[in-house]
Amino acid sequence: MNIYFIKRYPCVPIWKVCLVLFTLLIVTRSGYAQVTNYMIDISKGLQSQPVNLDKMGGINPNGEHITVNSEYITRGGIPIIPITGEMHYTRYPNQYWDESIKKLKAGGINMVATYVFWNIHEEKEGKFDWSGDKDLRKFIELCASNNIQVIVRIGPFDHGEIRNGGIPDWLLGKPLTIRTNDPLYLHYVELLYNEIGKQLKGLYYKDGGPIVAVQLENEYQHAASPWGLTYPGQPYDFTVADRDRSTTQEGVGIASKDNPYANLGNDHMRTLKALAVKAGIIAPLYTATGWGYAAIIPGETLPVTAAYAYPTWTAKRELSPFYLYKDLHSDPDYSPVRYKANDYPAFAAELGSGIMTTYTRRPLVPEKSLDALINRCIGGGANGIGYYMYHGGSTPVADRYFFNDEAYGYPKISYDFQAPVGEYGQIRPSFNRLKLIHFFINDFAPQLAPMVTTLPGNVAQLKPDNMDELRYAVRSSGNSGFLFLNNFQDNSKNHDLNAVRINVKVKGGVINIPETGGLNIKAEENAILPFNFDVHGTNLIYATAQLLAKGDDPANPYYVFFNPEGINPEFCFSKGNVNIKPITGSKTTTRDGKIFVNCITDKPAGFVLQGKDGIKINILVINKAMALRCYLQEWKGGRHLVFTDALVLTTDKSAEMLSTGHDQYNFSVYPKIHSLPQIDRGKLTETGTDKLFSNYAVELLPANLSPVFSKSGTRKLMVNLPETLPVGLNDIFLKIDYIGDTGMGFLDGNLVTDEFYKGIPWEIGLKRFIKKVKDNQFGFYFRPIMKGAPYLVDLPASVADMADKGKQTLQINGVTFTPEYKSVISFK
């Protein structure tokens, strides 16, 4: 650049050239001259004005109340934000339910939602089956033993991509009209509710049990499923009353207010609630899907919302509005709605944490889309988070048909949903990203839930295709709050937003975040930054790091922050009566009556904060890569953070560590512990010294697994199963790298697994199949991609090009076994 400049302008003095270059260098490095300022005004000091919903709530035997107001839910008088993960017990082997519930808990889930599918339990009229994988009571009891609360979704219509939406086939032949107050239909519903009531007896919140909510019906007067009894090429015949056919949709979406039978729909919901109560199904909360003008019971059911960014019921890929901030309390997604939104808290029950692929549509949901979606929902005022699905599964097979909704073109068995916890219990990257927000919500809900949303002035003009403007919002109470930032948009090429500063106008002045320079917000990233945050009596004016968790042990209180990718962590404290002592990786400066703490980003940093009360608070700052490896573990009445690549499942005095593909792994514990943990197998050693962490290494006996397989023709693959699951392994994952249309897996000639190719390898957990077949062999059949296939729009461009060049495409590239190791670490 210097040489070019001199040659182009030979008469310019060298000192001027140097001055220009030096100025460019300073501007580039500091970003000061390039900072883009954004302003948001909360100086009016908006406060929530909750109005109690007297017909909702309940009390348990310990005298603890659950109450609901128009803003949020409280338990024991403390505001909470439920985080609900959907898991269907009938879609997962019951011998692994406890392990799966522990996985949900490890991810920060504090409530489980599950459907009771009528047709699975009463496949034949009058013969209810609650055994084995259908044992609803056992599932709820396991949730209770893991301190997880439950929402039971009792139907009678469920949807859930199940045949007929859960309505039994035999009901089609009865002289009745479904999903109405038809007396004969209600007779059968009452029989169902009575059976469910027997299973749930004694498990309700009022009994000291985990059931805090019951969902009545699903998407009533909004959407439906087609009857499974249909013929190829025949138009769908939806599971709705004749009167509702014209207003029924195939999927979640926006509906019109023009439903002449709206009052009848609300009345039917009242009837269902009365039948549930009569059957003993009594909970503090009754919920109803409220999106798209669906029916609710005003004042008696909590309307819940949804957001699916990657739907398969649309004709093509579209940019969704679900990454733009809005006030969800007054303007729910998929509005118009049938209720006064401000009368109820914004409670999301179906946030698409993945999606089911259909034969014709197979979008791949990126992991960064999920925490971005939750950031936007919480920033928009949501005080309840619910995922559909959080844990995938495999749908059971009926005597005469498949329970998965074949009419809609879903796989016959697989219900993986690309969920954070997959069909075989495998942990996806989205699991780790979401838990960072979950930990934050669980620890700071009492402060966050009463906060109201403030939006910037440009929000009404901002459209999904505008990726150049900063997307941001604030939730605050008085002068204190959280700044929400989001730089993700689905089905779009995102880019970095560099050198941005957000100026938050509060009573008495403006908080500049950051005070000097700007933030660099990476493409597809999001952040939640606190301002005027009370840290044990000391005012944190702002932090360019995100709160992760805290420890309230009086002997060793701490706060843990992480810096979102690309953002340098800086803490700005009011000077006052505060003393800050750096420990490692941090330095302090004072200017303008404020104390600034800047931390390194390549490794953990720490400092001690001592306020006017004399209590010393430890502050740990880590980068996002390390935060993604974080789990919470409690023992000896205290809480510790465990950082590891393994999955950590908490038990009373120990932790089950599941390590996929690695017989050696490390873990670190914060705060430090002073006794060596014990391991049930392998070798555990302490590694090195550290000011912040206790560090350990684990070595396990390696499992040498080499799959034996053969091909039969061009479409069939035979894979030998291990005779037993080796000691020390929790599972073995079979991975088939292929390119094709569909894959089907058979054991002893029976279809047990299938999938629609989405551009990634097919992964199957084997532990549920080992020792359950005669010939110990898995047989797979694949079909090729045909030219012009409708789903090519969702596949990688290279695959679509390959398919367009030939009549058919099928490649089976490789087969691997990946062991999942299990060890138990005990803490004294």
Side-chain angles (χ1 to χ4, degrees):
M1 181 176 176
N2 296 12
I3 296 173
Y4 173 82
F5 192 93
I6 293 169
K7 287 182 177 179
R8 182 70 177 84
Y9 302 102
C11 60
V12 177
I14 289 294
W15 69 270
K16 287 190 176 181
V17 175
C18 293
L19 180 60
V20 169
L21 294 175
F22 180 74
T23 302
L24 287 173
L25 179 63
I26 293 297
V27 168
T28 301
R29 290 195 173 183
S30 68
Y32 294 172
Q34 297 177 332
V35 168
T36 302
N37 284 280
Y38 293 88
M39 173 67 76
I40 190 164
D41 186 353
I42 65 165
S43 61
K44 295 180 181 179
L46 295 177
Q47 301 279 354
S48 63
Q49 302 292 331
V51 177
N52 287 334
L53 299 174
D54 296 331
K55 294 184 179 181
M56 299 185 194
I59 184 171
N60 70 8
N62 296 325
E64 178 190 79
H65 284 265
I66 288 179
T67 61
V68 186
N69 61 48
S70 56
E71 303 278 348
Y72 50 85
I73 299 170
T74 69
R75 186 171 61 230
I78 299 172
I80 62 171
I81 298 179
I83 306 172
T84 307
E86 187 93 11
M87 176 184 174
H88 298 158
Y89 60 97
T90 52
R91 281 173 157 151
Y92 208 72
N94 71 88
Q95 62 267 37
Y96 308 126
W97 283 347
D98 185 64
E99 177 187 287
S100 286
I101 294 168
K102 284 181 167 62
K103 288 177 181 177
L104 271 61
K105 190 172 183 178
I109 296 296
N110 56 38
M111 187 178 293
V112 171
T114 195
Y115 272 136
V116 181
F117 291 119
W118 185 0
N119 55 0
I120 288 181
H121 289 290
E122 194 185 7
E123 184 180 342
K124 296 181 180 178
E125 183 181 355
K127 296 182 179 180
F128 282 91
D129 185 358
W130 302 96
S131 63
D133 297 344
K134 304 175 186 179
D135 192 342
L136 171 62
R137 185 174 187 84
K138 175 182 176 180
F139 180 77
I140 304 298
E141 289 173 339
L142 286 171
C143 289
S145 67
N146 284 283
N147 197 29
I148 294 288
Q149 296 187 315
V150 181
I151 299 176
V152 185
R153 307 176 80 177
I154 63 173
F157 175 82
D158 295 323
H159 209 303
E161 289 73 50
I162 209 77
R163 184 181 177 92
N164 311 330
I167 302 292
D169 277 44
W170 51 263
L171 212 60
L172 185 58
K174 300 292 183 180
L176 52 80
T177 302
I178 65 168
R179 303 180 76 183
T180 67
N181 284 347
D182 180 301
L184 185 56
Y185 174 69
L186 293 178
H187 164 74
Y188 286 111
V189 172
E190 185 171 15
L191 293 177
L192 168 68
Y193 280 9
N194 286 341
E195 289 292 327
I196 295 173
K198 293 175 186 177
Q199 297 300 313
L200 301 182
K201 187 176 182 179
L203 296 177
Y204 303 102
Y205 181 76
K206 66 182 181 64
D207 307 312
I211 300 174
V212 296
V214 171
Q215 180 179 300
L216 303 168
E217 249 282 350
N218 189 58
E219 298 174 329
Y220 186 56
Q221 291 191 320
H222 174 72
S225 297
W227 281 101
L229 290 168
T230 188
Y231 300 93
Q234 189 177 42
Y236 293 139
D237 182 16
F238 287 106
T239 49
V240 293
D242 290 343
R243 70 177 188 222
D244 291 328
R245 291 183 188 278
S246 63
T247 58
T248 296
Q249 299 187 177
E250 292 187 23
V252 178
I254 295 173
S256 169
K257 289 184 178 180
D258 298 327
N259 187 331
Y261 305 104
N263 289 334
L264 291 177
N266 290 358
D267 185 57
H268 179 60
M269 293 293 285
R270 290 188 185 91
T271 301
L272 292 180
K273 182 183 176 184
L275 290 177
V277 171
K278 183 180 178 182
I281 304 173
I282 300 172
L285 301 176
Y286 293 88
T287 70
T289 46
W291 56 82
Y293 210 65
I296 70 162
I297 309 174
E300 295 185 39
T301 55
L302 179 64
V304 295
T305 63
Y308 287 94
Y310 296 86
T312 55
W313 48 86
T314 58
K316 59 182 180 178
R317 294 180 182 177
E318 298 175 352
L319 300 182
S320 80
F322 304 129
Y323 298 98
L324 297 175
Y325 292 106
K326 63 187 293 192
D327 186 346
L328 292 168
H329 186 232
S330 60
D331 183 20
D333 290 324
Y334 301 114
S335 289
V337 294
R338 198 179 295 187
Y339 55 92
K340 294 181 180 179
N342 285 315
D343 289 350
Y344 304 89
F347 194 119
E350 289 196 19
L351 297 175
S353 48
I355 200 67
M356 269 295 284
T357 51
T358 66
Y359 182 76
T360 56
R361 287 297 315 279
R362 307 179 186 187
L364 201 60
V365 179
E367 64 267 18
K368 289 186 177 182
S369 70
L370 301 186
D371 55 309
L373 176 64
I374 305 310
N375 174 298
R376 174 262 188 183
C377 289
I378 294 294
N383 276 329
I385 293 295
Y387 297 100
Y388 195 98
M389 297 283 297
Y390 190 82
H391 192 308
S394 307
T395 305
V397 179
D399 284 345
R400 292 176 292 175
Y401 43 73
F402 293 97
F403 274 124
N404 260 3
D405 194 338
E406 294 179 274
Y408 262 154
Y410 294 113
K412 299 181 185 300
I413 303 290
S414 175
Y415 199 68
D416 178 77
F417 218 87
Q418 304 177 53
V421 183
E423 179 177 5
Y424 297 98
Q426 62 271 51
I427 299 299
R428 301 258 166 72
S430 57
F431 175 94
N432 294 314
R433 295 186 67 89
L434 288 171
K435 73 184 179 194
L436 303 188
I437 299 184
H438 298 167
F439 292 169
F440 162 69
I441 292 173
N442 283 328
D443 278 2
F444 301 100
Q447 296 98 314
L448 178 63
M451 292 181 174
V452 298
T453 294
T454 300
L455 302 171
N458 70 337
V459 70
Q461 291 76 40
L462 199 58
K463 303 300 180 184
D465 60 355
N466 183 350
M467 293 301 298
D468 297 323
E469 288 287 321
L470 180 66
R471 303 174 180 200
Y472 64 109
V474 163
R475 282 189 68 170
S476 63
S477 180
N479 273 2
S480 175
F482 295 93
L483 170 65
F484 291 79
L485 305 169
N486 188 18
N487 192 21
F488 182 92
Q489 177 64 53
D490 60 323
N491 297 313
S492 180
K493 187 175 182 180
N494 300 263
H495 60 82
D496 296 353
L497 294 176
N498 292 323
V500 299
R501 180 189 297 131
I502 300 87
N503 308 300
V504 183
K505 186 177 181 181
V506 298
K507 288 181 180 179
V510 175
I511 299 174
N512 303 313
I513 307 176
E515 190 158 294
T516 59
L519 302 176
N520 296 328
I521 305 171
K522 292 290 187 181
E524 301 183 333
E525 283 299 324
N526 66 88
I528 305 171
L529 308 179
F531 63 89
N532 278 343
F533 182 76
D534 184 359
V535 183
H536 280 258
T538 297
N539 184 44
L540 173 60
I541 298 175
Y542 73 81
T544 59
Q546 183 165 327
L547 276 164
L548 177 64
K550 66 176 181 176
D552 289 328
D553 184 350
N556 188 23
Y558 63 83
Y559 287 78
V560 180
F561 293 78
F562 71 91
N563 60 288
E565 186 179 351
I567 297 179
N568 295 322
E570 178 179 82
F571 297 79
C572 175
F573 292 95
S574 299
K575 191 173 181 181
N577 297 319
V578 61
N579 180 48
I580 297 176
K581 178 184 177 181
I583 298 177
T584 181
S586 61
K587 65 178 182 179
T588 64
T589 56
T590 302
R591 66 175 183 269
D592 300 328
K594 303 170 186 174
I595 302 175
F596 294 85
V597 183
N598 291 91
C599 302
I600 60 176
T601 58
D602 59 338
K603 58 183 179 180
F607 59 94
V608 176
L609 174 70
Q610 185 174 8
K612 58 185 179 181
D613 57 6
I615 297 176
K616 293 182 178 180
I617 312 298
N618 287 290
I619 307 294
L620 174 66
V621 186
I622 58 179
N623 59 33
K624 187 163 187 176
M626 186 170 183
L628 291 169
R629 303 171 64 246
C630 176
Y631 295 90
L632 301 180
Q633 174 79 23
E634 297 194 18
W635 68 89
K636 290 186 177 179
R639 173 193 268 189
H640 292 257
L641 279 69
V642 179
F643 299 92
T644 179
D645 287 328
L647 172 66
V648 182
L649 305 182
T650 300
T651 57
D652 290 339
K653 295 182 180 180
S654 62
E656 294 180 359
M657 302 281 208
L658 303 182
S659 176
T660 303
H662 300 285
D663 56 275
Q664 299 182 22
Y665 62 89
N666 301 318
F667 70 93
S668 301
V669 180
Y670 177 88
K672 296 181 70 169
I673 56 178
H674 303 289
S675 58
L676 186 67
Q678 303 298 309
I679 192 168
D680 67 333
R681 57 171 51 89
K683 181 182 178 182
L684 185 150
T685 56
E686 190 167 8
T687 59
T689 58
D690 194 302
K691 291 182 179 180
L692 299 173
F693 304 92
S694 297
N695 301 304
Y696 306 95
V698 172
E699 297 180 45
L700 303 172
L701 184 66
N704 298 314
L705 303 172
S706 298
V708 177
F709 62 93
S710 61
K711 294 181 181 179
S712 177
T714 59
R715 298 190 179 189
K716 292 188 177 181
L717 174 71
M718 309 303 292
V719 180
N720 290 353
L721 288 174
E723 294 184 1
T724 60
L725 187 65
V727 175
L729 295 191
N730 187 61
D731 207 341
I732 299 171
F733 292 105
L734 165 64
K735 185 176 289 186
I736 304 175
D737 182 7
Y738 81 106
I739 298 174
D741 175 22
T742 57
M744 296 185 286
F746 297 85
L747 293 175
D748 290 338
N750 297 311
L751 181 69
V752 296
T753 184
D754 61 340
E755 82 132 16
F756 294 162
Y757 176 73
K758 300 182 288 294
I760 57 176
W762 185 9
E763 193 171 56
I764 303 167
L766 296 181
K767 68 179 179 181
R768 69 176 67 173
F769 301 123
I770 292 174
K771 282 189 172 181
K772 292 187 177 180
V773 292
K774 297 176 183 178
D775 58 7
N776 230 37
Q777 195 172 60
F778 229 134
F780 293 93
Y781 178 71
F782 299 90
R783 293 187 62 178
I785 299 173
M786 306 302 289
K787 185 176 181 178
Y791 50 80
L792 289 175
V793 64
D794 294 314
L795 297 187
S798 59
V799 175
D801 290 343
M802 188 187 307
D804 285 340
K805 291 176 181 178
K807 292 183 178 180
Q808 57 186 34
T809 301
L810 177 61
Q811 296 179 3
I812 302 175
N813 300 319
V815 178
T816 58
F817 280 166
T818 302
E820 182 180 64
Y821 296 90
K822 180 179 179 179
S823 52
V824 178
I825 310 289
S826 300
F827 299 92
K828 296 181 181 179

